[in-house]
Amino acid sequence: MAAARWALALARGAAPVALGLLFWVAVAGSEQDRLNTLKGLPEANPEVLAQRRRQNELIMAALREAAETDENVARRPVPWRK
């Protein structure tokens, strides 16, 4: 009797996992589809990558300046430059 209850509990626990795995396999698609999607993203464009790097450099410079000063840089007037 106890073995039958264990088997039933195991089946009830494994069923949602198996169902989720089946859904994941059905929706995930192939590796080739994923690579084609990644190639089509705007981040694959060198100009967009350069702009994003420049934006990240500006953000890091602002964060570095904020870390080095005791002044509250968030309360500065908007067009602030050194």
Side-chain angles (χ1 to χ4, degrees):
M1 187 69 170
R5 278 194 275 176
W6 273 102
L8 183 60
L10 184 61
R12 285 182 179 167
V17 173
L19 185 62
L21 181 62
L22 287 174
F23 281 148
W24 180 68
V25 167
V27 172
S30 69
E31 183 72 14
Q32 190 64 33
D33 291 339
R34 190 181 68 80
L35 291 176
N36 287 338
T37 302
L38 288 175
K39 285 180 185 176
L41 291 176
E43 289 83 13
N45 187 351
E47 291 119 12
V48 173
L49 283 176
Q51 289 174 353
R52 183 155 303 151
R53 282 191 192 107
R54 178 67 181 141
Q55 180 72 19
N56 287 342
E57 289 172 5
L58 292 172
I59 291 171
M60 290 305 294
L63 289 173
R64 196 174 302 115
E65 179 186 355
E68 291 171 353
T69 184
D70 289 333
E71 179 187 357
N72 188 351
V73 294
R75 300 213 180 247
R76 286 185 183 170
V78 173
W80 59 279
R81 298 269 185 229
K82 275 191 164 181

